[in-house]
Amino acid sequence: MNPVKIGLLGLGTVGGGTVNVLRRNAGEITRRAGREIQISKASARELGRARICSTEGIELTANPFAIVNDPDIDIIVELIGGESPAKELVLQALSRGKHVVTANKMLIALHGNEIFAKASQHGVMVAFEAAVAGGIPIIKTLREGLSGNRVEWLVGIINGTGNFILTEMREKARDFADVLEEAQARGYAEADPTFDVEGVDAAHKLTILAAIAFGIPLQFRKVYTEGIRGVTPADVIYAEALGYRIKHLGIARRAAKGIELRVHPTLIPERRLLANVDGVMNAIVVKGDAVGATLYYGAGAGAEPTASAVVADLIDVVRALTSDPENRVPHLAFQPEAISDIPVLSIERIQTPCYLRLSAEDKPGVLADITRILANHNISIEAIIQKEPLAGESYIPVIMLTHRVLEQELNAAIAELERLASVNAPIKRIRVETLG
Ligand code: HSE
């Protein structure tokens, strides 16, 4: 049988890794796919650049549209990243009846609904395993392995850069800016590292996971997104004293009145496996009603871990080339006509325990004022730490852990506390997840 011809858009880190994996494992891949998978054309912005892969036998061009429009190409692998021209290229490829494999989380999170509709219209597939958590096969797991379950929640460390920064801050007491610089130099961070530290990258990935877990549309704009810039070394130390670690989590939960979709720094008990996922590694816990809690761990970025997911998608697509489009696994796991319109809850409507850090005047009655305000808002305190004042200082750090509280109620209490003359604004708040 003739080889399946691939057009590769982008020959950067992941593109180079994909070429290397396809070449190194060609024999095994053909045995699995049933046909040889051959990269016949590739596009790159700078054709003469040094690369991690050899491009021997691959026709190179600087014009990716020439590949998308080439009738000899069966499958397009989009590894350019970003919104444009990736979106135009993918839509054009689908219109021309080509299947698409992509690692582009932003593209799927923002434009997936339109892209999947176009793919269905033309009877072709869009595969995107590499878009979430690099080499961890979490899309396939949710879409196929756990398809007998009603997913209750999923919680993940889905941005390696953020996890690397928090790990270095905790283990080596390093400064935020200094660690970020190292993450950029090591190539973990996005082209725009604010996407990592502000939680946008994790929100793209959570959007995709939640759609597949709950059968809801991709709704990136409804994800509550908070980054890690505000986490201080003091918070890391106080969290540890309370038996917790701070992780930047993506959380999707089916609650009574809707779906929670949120990305924010979170205190989790240090005995949980997720609390011990360090450095650039990713991990996702998925709780299904039948299977219980399951954990998926691995490299969330990097040339070959991401290529592992791209190549697995390619094999899947090749295996399904001759299948009837109606009988393929739906893009978002649920049949398109069965997608649910269950609402996404605003952050004010979620309930979690909370860590609060205040700077309060060290004089009689101040703690009583603080606890009275919390009590008036029906907020119960689980633990409290009050530090000694530094020499010559009249304000002290007060750290509190609350029981579960409705965010709206906590907001009102914090506003009232910040109006106290004896408390310095702003008060720091970090949500807690027990993952029980
Ligand atoms: N910047 C991303 C991360 C790369 O740090 O996780 C993988 O999506």
Side-chain angles (χ1 to χ4, degrees):
M1 213 183 284
N2 289 338
V4 180
K5 297 222 167 120
I6 308 299
L8 179 62
L9 313 183
L11 266 174
T13 307
V14 181
T18 301
V19 172
N20 286 338
V21 172
L22 275 172
R23 286 225 166 102
R24 193 173 67 238
N25 298 339
E28 294 279 55
I29 289 167
T30 306
R31 284 172 62 213
R32 290 188 171 114
R35 282 174 75 180
E36 188 191 333
I37 299 177
Q38 189 183 82
I39 299 184
S40 56
K41 299 196 173 171
S43 72
R45 256 192 317 219
E46 297 163 63
L47 295 182
R49 223 176 103 181
R51 308 193 182 282
I52 59 169
C53 66
S54 153
T55 53
E56 206 187 317
I58 304 175
E59 193 182 317
L60 297 183
T61 172
N63 178 11
F65 283 95
I67 298 183
V68 160
N69 291 326
D70 184 335
D72 279 349
I73 298 292
D74 305 301
I75 304 172
I76 293 292
V77 177
E78 185 277 305
L79 301 175
I80 293 177
E83 239 179 313
S84 185
K87 182 183 173 196
E88 294 76 14
L89 287 162
V90 165
L91 288 174
Q92 174 94 336
L94 298 174
S95 302
R96 297 206 166 251
K98 296 184 197 308
H99 307 277
V100 171
V101 172
T102 178
N104 194 330
K105 51 232 164 165
M106 186 202 272
L107 181 71
I108 298 298
L110 269 53
H111 304 291
N113 298 323
E114 180 187 349
I115 287 169
F116 299 143
K118 172 78 97 187
S120 300
Q121 196 187 328
H122 292 274
V124 290
M125 294 169 268
V126 178
F128 50 95
E129 181 66 70
V132 182
I136 306 175
I138 189 65
I139 302 290
K140 195 166 188 77
T141 297
L142 279 169
R143 198 158 52 183
E144 298 177 46
L146 298 179
S147 59
N149 286 262
R150 187 170 195 268
V151 176
E152 293 172 359
W153 52 262
L154 63 87
V155 171
I157 295 172
I158 46 180
N159 180 270
T161 302
N163 200 43
F164 175 69
I165 293 172
L166 290 176
T167 304
E168 291 287 302
M169 282 172 75
R170 183 179 62 80
E171 286 182 352
K172 302 180 189 157
R174 285 177 67 189
D175 189 63
F176 182 93
D178 172 41
V179 191
L180 174 59
E181 216 170 281
E182 187 183 333
Q184 284 177 282
R186 289 189 184 210
Y188 305 149
E190 293 299 296
D192 178 354
T194 56
F195 273 36
D196 295 298
V197 295
E198 302 300 346
V200 177
D201 177 75
H204 287 148
K205 295 165 181 167
L206 186 72
T207 302
I208 299 170
L209 291 178
I212 293 173
F214 304 126
I216 58 174
L218 294 150
Q219 301 170 84
F220 170 72
R221 312 244 167 257
K222 296 198 180 152
V223 181
Y224 171 81
T225 306
E226 191 182 308
I228 55 170
R229 255 186 226 285
V231 177
T232 65
D235 293 320
V236 174
I237 292 166
Y238 296 141
E240 207 143 30
L242 291 161
Y244 290 81
R245 289 205 179 144
I246 302 178
K247 290 288 177 189
H248 196 209
L249 298 185
I251 300 166
R253 178 177 279 119
R254 199 192 288 270
K257 294 195 173 138
I259 301 286
E260 296 179 11
L261 283 185
R262 46 198 171 95
V263 169
H264 52 70
T266 315
L267 263 71
I268 54 177
E270 65 189 356
R271 66 180 183 281
R272 296 284 181 217
L273 289 171
L274 212 52
N276 295 283
V277 171
D278 288 330
V280 284
M281 300 308 276
N282 281 198
I284 300 143
V285 181
V286 182
K287 171 86 189 314
D289 67 337
V291 72
T294 54
L295 171 69
Y296 309 90
Y297 169 87
E304 292 216 357
T306 313
S308 161
V310 170
V311 174
D313 271 352
L314 269 171
I315 294 171
D316 262 0
V317 170
V318 171
R319 282 170 174 158
L321 279 177
T322 52
S323 65
D324 176 356
E326 302 298 312
N327 294 331
R328 291 178 185 146
V329 180
H331 290 113
L332 290 178
F334 291 72
Q335 299 297 337
E337 65 281 5
I339 294 294
S340 157
D341 59 0
I342 183 169
V344 175
L345 298 174
S346 70
I347 193 71
E348 290 77 20
R349 295 178 68 197
I350 69 137
Q351 286 190 40
T352 62
C354 245
Y355 159 102
L356 298 175
R357 176 167 54 79
L358 304 81
S359 165
E361 210 173 341
D362 186 24
K363 65 173 192 190
V366 170
L367 208 51
D369 288 343
I370 293 169
T371 51
R372 183 178 38 75
I373 289 174
L374 291 175
N376 287 347
H377 286 275
N378 219 6
I379 298 169
S380 162
I381 299 166
E382 185 187 311
I384 188 160
I385 301 175
Q386 183 182 320
K387 303 305 275 186
E388 287 296 308
L390 295 174
E393 292 220 356
S394 57
Y395 278 74
I396 50 162
V398 178
I399 297 92
M400 284 182 285
L401 212 52
T402 75
H403 283 287
R404 259 165 81 83
V405 49
L406 182 68
E407 182 105 359
Q408 198 172 25
E409 200 62 55
L410 186 64
N411 290 346
I414 288 177
E416 222 174 294
L417 288 170
E418 286 178 341
R419 286 196 293 272
L420 286 175
S422 50
V423 169
N424 278 335
I427 292 170
K428 180 61 171 292
R429 161 242 309 267
I430 306 179
R431 297 170 191 88
V432 178
E433 287 290 330
T434 54
L435 306 178

